[in-house]
Amino acid sequence: MLALLVGSTLSTVSAAQTNAAQINAAQSADKTTQTVRLFDAVAQHPGPSWQKYEDPLNGSEVNRQQRDSAFIQEQIPKGETFKAWKRLYGVVAQKLPGMPLPEFINQSLTPLVQACGRENFTATVQPLANDYTLIRVVCQNTPNIAVGSGYGEGVGEVGVFWFGKQGDTLVKIYQQWRGNKFTATQATSWPVSRDEVETMTQRLSTAALAPAPRG
């Protein structure tokens, strides 16, 4: 299992549960998808939870950056700011020859685990087809990071993260919800409803990578 989660509260969804989730996702996921080329890969993925438009970027503020071997596109609802967002959706890709997917997952989630502290962090790992991985995290407080970064004492987060690999390209697709610190065992205190988290868990479980066309 993931090294970074050792010592944290961790559960794993069984294969039977995974199959059931994938069936439900196919039936109920948002039919509007986004497609983007990411180095060796073409990613097809759902939009954020607030998306209700034919234009996948309508209704969102978008920040997109690309360098030689790194890509990031993040979206927040119109009217929010990237400094003080409450809902954030993103796609991150890096071309990293030779890096295994578990190592990429560790590198991606370690900063969040450290900010939360293991006493505040729980995770559910759901293996998917094609060696994709879905991880749902609940961080009830982030006391181990400076206030002013959008995090800090008194700020908690819930997130759903999808991870996959195609060739040398590693991809993370995610939605996060941020708000006041809360009690992890009391879903009514979270900064997002359980229904919205379940919906995005289903939607993200349908994400997929394909080889990018040559040339």
Side-chain angles (χ1 to χ4, degrees):
M1 193 51 69
L2 304 176
L4 72 94
L5 298 177
V6 173
S8 302
T9 303
L10 172 68
S11 60
T12 303
V13 177
S14 70
Q17 290 172 303
T18 297
N19 291 337
Q22 289 173 314
I23 292 170
N24 289 336
Q27 294 174 341
S28 61
D30 192 316
K31 299 186 187 309
T32 303
T33 59
Q34 301 179 28
T35 301
V36 59
R37 179 165 181 166
L38 303 168
F39 309 113
D40 296 339
V42 174
Q44 186 174 54
H45 59 92
S49 62
W50 63 87
Q51 179 179 304
K52 299 181 184 300
Y53 307 93
E54 291 300 323
D55 179 352
L57 300 183
N58 193 13
S60 295
E61 306 285 353
V62 180
N63 177 34
R64 178 182 175 124
Q65 301 177 41
Q66 183 166 353
R67 299 173 184 163
D68 290 343
S69 60
F71 170 92
I72 181 170
Q73 177 176 289
E74 291 188 319
Q75 299 172 231
I76 56 175
K78 289 280 191 183
E80 293 190 16
T81 68
F82 282 99
K83 184 176 180 180
W85 57 265
K86 296 181 179 179
R87 290 185 289 179
L88 176 74
Y89 183 88
V91 178
V92 168
Q94 290 181 270
K95 191 169 183 179
L96 298 168
M99 177 175 284
L101 183 59
E103 184 176 344
F104 177 69
I105 296 173
N106 284 338
Q107 288 188 6
S108 296
L109 293 184
T110 291
L112 180 59
V113 177
Q114 292 174 339
C116 302
R118 296 188 185 279
E119 69 278 10
N120 293 311
F121 182 87
T122 60
T124 302
V125 179
Q126 179 176 325
L128 301 172
N130 300 315
D131 295 325
Y132 304 146
T133 298
L134 193 72
I135 300 179
R136 185 161 64 183
V137 304
V138 177
C139 170
Q140 59 188 9
N141 195 16
T142 53
N144 302 327
I145 192 169
V147 175
S149 62
Y151 293 93
E153 173 61 42
V155 179
E157 177 177 298
V158 175
V160 182
F161 299 83
W162 179 98
F163 295 93
K165 180 178 181 179
Q166 175 65 51
D168 291 330
T169 300
L170 296 119
V171 178
K172 174 178 70 172
I173 305 171
Y174 53 95
Q175 183 158 333
Q176 296 166 266
W177 299 264
R178 190 168 65 182
N180 294 332
K181 70 178 182 180
F182 56 90
T183 302
T185 56
Q186 297 178 4
T188 55
S189 70
W190 293 6
V192 56
S193 70
R194 185 181 290 275
D195 285 347
E196 187 170 342
V197 175
E198 292 294 340
T199 295
M200 285 310 300
T201 299
Q202 291 184 355
R203 289 183 183 177
L204 285 172
S205 72
T206 67
L209 301 176
R214 295 185 178 181

